């Protein structure tokens, strides 16, 4: 009989000790089954942690079978097209597919700080007149991550980003496949009481910094008293030449009244997006 407590009730019997469970050693699994298990681990952990466990795990992460298994889970038309490209144009650099899965460059805006949420960070800036500032939009821009814009002055102001496509996660064989599109978009406009001019220049550049293709937009200036006019410029680079490794995105603007301050072109929601070309 169990011991009695001070109030006459029987004290509960001590719980039986459980034997410690033996840890599952994943390294004992066949490589094919281990790849299936690891395919459910986030790519960042695979590259930064799992790869360091042992030589076998490192070989799996550096190989292609694991990452192809991850890619097969996207059953969309774009996902199936990407999987076919990954099989027909496999990367020669170890873990390139892993870097691609981690950074997810397809369909993502590669331009940093597109609306001035971080001031002028990430942009190479040329200040004319009174230079660049960031202000609230005069007209709402649909789909923008923030309703702010960069504003120019009475002399030409320019800013640029150069995007390293390999650093973003795209491997050379994919870039040279001729089966991706590079889509460019930019919004520009004016304030109601002042006209403005705008220029956009986008170049596709090789590893030697030679331009292989370019797009220029120089629309007619917006006139004064324009009801806060706002326009979108778009372009798609298709049938991309072999050797493209960088995208240079540069836009410029100024006002037409030559007023001190910031009355010039207003630019925002700039984007460069890479997509698989669907048949």
């Amino acid at each position: 009989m169990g011991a009695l407590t001070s109030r006459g009730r029987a004290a509960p019997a001590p719980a039986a000790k459980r034997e410690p469970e033996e840890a599952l050693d994943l390294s004992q699994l066949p490589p094919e089954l281990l790849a299936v298990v690891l395919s459910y681990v986030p790519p960042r952990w695979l590259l930064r942690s799992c790869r360091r466990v042992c030589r076998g795990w490192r070989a799996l992460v550096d190989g292609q079978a694991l990452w192809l298994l991850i890619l097969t889970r996207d059953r969309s038309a774009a996902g199936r097209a990407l999987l076919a490209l990954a099989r027909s144009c496999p990367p020669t650099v170890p873990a390139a597919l892993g870097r691609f899965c981690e950074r997810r460059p397809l369909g993502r805006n590669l331009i940093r700080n597109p609306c001035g949420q971080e001031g002028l960070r990430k942009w190479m800036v040329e200040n004319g007149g009174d230079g660049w500032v960031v202000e609230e939009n005069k007209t709402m821009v649909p789909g923008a991550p923030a309703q702010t814009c960069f504003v120019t002055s009475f002399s030409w102001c320019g800013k640029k980003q150069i995007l390293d496509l390999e650093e973003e996660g795209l491997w050379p064989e994919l870039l040279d496949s001729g089966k991706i599109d590079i889509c460019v978009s930019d919004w520009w406009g004016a304030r109601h009481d002042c006209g403005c001019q705008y220029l956009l220049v986008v170049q596709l550049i090789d590893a030697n910094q030679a331009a292989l293709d370019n797009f220029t937009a120089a629309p007619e200036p917006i006139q004064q008293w324009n009801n806060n006019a706002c326009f979108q410029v778009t372009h798609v680079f298709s049938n991309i030449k072999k050797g493209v490794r960088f995208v240079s995105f540069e836009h410029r603007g100024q006002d037409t009244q030559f007023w001190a301050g910031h009355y010039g072109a207003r630019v925002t929601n700039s984007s460069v997006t890479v997509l698989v070309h669907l048949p």
Side-chain angles (χ1 to χ4, degrees):
M1 178 177 287
L4 295 178
T5 66
S6 60
R7 295 190 179 184
R9 289 179 299 179
K17 291 185 178 180
R18 297 180 60 184
E19 293 294 329
E21 296 182 3
E22 185 177 350
L24 175 63
D25 185 0
L26 294 179
S27 298
Q28 299 302 314
L29 295 175
E32 298 80 5
L33 185 54
L34 178 59
V36 173
V37 174
L38 292 181
S39 70
Y40 289 93
V41 176
R44 181 177 181 181
W45 292 5
L46 288 172
L47 292 168
R48 301 186 183 184
S49 299
C50 298
R51 188 174 180 271
R52 301 178 179 180
V53 170
C54 63
R55 291 181 180 179
W57 286 37
R58 178 174 180 172
L60 267 178
V61 174
D62 283 353
Q64 297 176 14
L66 171 61
W67 302 106
L68 289 174
L69 189 59
I70 292 173
L71 292 177
T72 59
R73 298 210 177 98
D74 184 351
R75 303 307 301 162
S76 67
R80 293 194 299 271
L82 172 61
L83 180 61
L85 273 178
R87 286 171 170 162
S88 62
C89 309
T92 56
V93 177
L97 270 179
R99 190 161 56 247
F100 172 87
C101 290
E102 178 192 24
R103 299 181 185 178
R104 304 175 65 88
L106 294 184
R108 170 171 63 84
N109 186 5
L110 303 182
I111 292 285
R112 304 304 202 268
N113 187 25
C115 302
Q117 315 96 300
E118 304 173 56
L120 291 167
R121 290 187 66 234
K122 307 299 184 181
W123 292 94
M124 295 178 281
V125 174
E126 176 188 336
N127 287 310
D130 289 326
W132 290 92
V133 294
V134 175
E135 296 181 357
E136 295 290 325
N137 287 346
K138 296 291 186 182
T139 302
M140 189 183 77
V141 175
Q147 292 300 323
T148 51
C149 61
F150 302 93
V151 187
T152 61
S153 189
F154 58 85
S155 292
W156 282 103
C157 299
K159 60 186 181 70
K160 175 194 289 190
Q161 286 191 32
I162 297 180
L163 310 174
D164 184 334
L165 298 177
E166 289 187 72
E167 184 63 27
E168 294 292 343
L170 298 158
W171 66 92
E173 292 79 7
L174 177 62
L175 291 170
D176 294 341
S177 68
K179 296 182 179 179
I180 62 170
D181 296 333
I182 297 179
C183 309
V184 177
S185 173
D186 201 25
W187 288 80
W188 75 287
R191 53 182 289 156
H192 176 61
D193 56 359
C194 188
C196 70
Q197 300 181 74
Y198 164 86
L199 174 68
L200 171 66
V201 178
V202 182
Q203 294 183 314
L204 306 186
I205 300 172
D206 68 13
N208 298 315
Q209 302 303 306
L212 302 182
D213 203 350
N214 68 83
F215 167 73
T216 300
E220 290 294 318
I222 297 176
Q223 301 301 313
Q224 191 180 25
W225 315 121
N226 53 67
N227 198 28
N228 297 320
C230 184
F231 302 98
Q232 183 182 21
V233 177
T234 62
H235 180 72
V236 178
F237 292 97
S238 298
N239 301 314
I240 294 170
K241 298 178 182 178
K242 289 186 177 181
V244 171
R245 297 294 180 267
F246 301 89
V247 177
S248 171
F249 182 101
E250 179 178 9
H251 50 197
R252 307 172 67 83
Q254 70 172 92
D255 74 38
T256 56
Q257 306 300 120
F258 303 100
W259 289 346
H262 302 92
Y263 295 85
R266 309 166 69 84
V267 295
T268 190
N269 204 22
S270 309
S271 71
V272 173
T273 309
V274 179
L275 299 174
V276 174
H277 180 75
L278 298 178

